[in-house]
Amino acid sequence: MDDILHSFMTDTQSTEDLSSRQSVVLSRVLSSGFVTIEALAEEFGVSAQTVRRDIITLAEKGLLQRFHGGAGPVGPAEAARLDHAAKRDVARVEKLVVGERAAAAIPDGASIFLDVGTTIECCAARLAQRAGFRIFTTSIRTALLFDPDAHEVNVIGGRMSGRDGSLTGEEVILRLHDLQIDIALIACSAVDENARVMDFNTSKIAVKKAAMNAAATSYLLCTTSKFGRTALSTIAPISRFQAVITEAETS
């Protein structure tokens, strides 16, 4: 981890004036994916407010992201503010394999909820090559991949939540509550060591949970790079999914 931190700091001029404690906070974020203010305060023997000020400083320098109760990484694989085109190119080959495998598992004519994210978009592109699906999605980008003459495409409206074209909000949850869907395809940011499927955005997590409740079957789509990581909050235990689809030969 010291080598990773040194490399990160060499490439980032804004780290030059960090205190030793701030450097350790950054190291914890890089290694763990998400750290809580409470845990850091206990580790350093300082107040939560002191840790919060360190996190604010690091966030202002663009070195990490602030979340309620803690902080998470800014990097090519996890940053919530990362440009959508850049996210699409991270683990591109692996995502294509996941998308192809997931699409192959969907029976013709199924009603499908498609979550947000670039891995889901890879699956949607494969599904769009077939006809007759009943699509429900909170992703504008995903909806646009389908020909409305070949599929029934339903965009569940809400407020825009990020550059990925996702929609969230109470109206989305209420609409999903009234639906009965065959399959929900769900993405995530992390699967931690306790087999919890996790994400950073609590508004999107609420949508994922509602979609899983509306679906008879739920599949988790993620690359193996997501395993062993942690994020802000739990979507569901991995056992809640009927299948976990990765690029690996077995999952």
Side-chain angles (χ1 to χ4, degrees):
M1 175 47 58
D2 289 340
D3 291 340
I4 295 173
L5 180 59
H6 178 268
S7 175
F8 184 90
M9 296 179 71
T10 299
D11 295 335
T12 311
Q13 294 181 350
S14 57
T15 61
E16 293 176 354
D17 57 350
L18 295 184
S19 70
S20 59
R21 187 177 60 242
Q22 289 167 354
S23 295
V24 175
V25 171
L26 181 57
S27 177
R28 296 289 183 272
V29 169
L30 290 172
S31 63
S32 301
F34 180 76
V35 293
T36 66
I37 291 174
E38 181 180 2
L40 290 171
E42 181 177 351
E43 177 180 352
F44 297 126
V46 298
S47 68
Q49 186 59 36
T50 297
V51 173
R52 189 174 290 108
R53 285 196 294 267
D54 286 336
I55 289 174
I56 290 171
T57 297
L58 291 165
E60 288 175 345
K61 291 177 179 293
L63 300 176
L64 52 70
Q65 297 178 86
R66 293 176 60 198
F67 295 101
H68 178 70
V74 170
E78 297 292 344
R81 293 178 297 179
L82 190 64
D83 180 80
H84 180 269
K87 279 187 176 181
R88 186 181 56 207
D89 291 336
V90 172
R92 177 66 172 171
V93 173
E94 291 86 347
K95 290 175 182 177
L96 288 170
V97 173
V98 174
E100 183 173 359
R101 288 181 174 175
I106 307 300
D108 290 340
S111 58
I112 312 165
F113 172 82
L114 290 162
D115 198 6
V116 299
T118 52
T119 303
I120 297 293
E121 289 169 23
C122 289
C123 179
R126 299 291 296 188
L127 290 171
Q129 296 174 13
R130 295 153 63 186
F133 291 116
R134 191 179 186 191
I135 301 298
F136 297 88
T137 185
T138 51
S139 168
I140 295 172
R141 291 179 184 273
T142 294
L144 290 172
L145 294 171
F146 290 91
D147 181 352
D149 291 332
H151 306 274
E152 178 187 327
V153 183
N154 301 274
V155 178
I156 304 176
R159 66 174 181 274
M160 188 76 80
S161 181
R163 297 178 181 177
D164 57 2
S166 61
L167 302 167
T168 62
E170 183 179 1
E171 56 267 55
V172 174
I173 306 301
L174 292 173
R175 175 66 174 132
L176 285 168
H177 183 268
D178 291 335
L179 293 176
Q180 292 185 352
I181 301 170
D182 294 327
I183 301 169
L185 302 181
I186 304 296
C188 70
S189 293
V191 181
D192 76 359
E193 294 179 353
N194 295 315
R196 295 180 299 182
V197 180
M198 309 183 78
D199 207 281
F200 287 103
N201 189 309
T202 54
S203 295
K204 293 179 183 179
I205 288 172
V207 172
K208 296 171 194 285
K209 289 181 176 180
M212 292 174 66
N213 288 335
T217 301
S218 297
Y219 294 163
L220 177 66
L221 278 60
C222 67
T223 59
T224 53
S225 63
K226 300 291 181 68
F227 287 82
R229 296 178 177 270
T230 187
L232 179 63
S233 188
T234 301
I235 301 167
I238 201 167
S239 59
R240 173 68 173 76
F241 295 88
Q242 282 69 43
V244 179
I245 301 174
T246 75
E247 80 279 12
E249 288 300 321
T250 58
S251 62

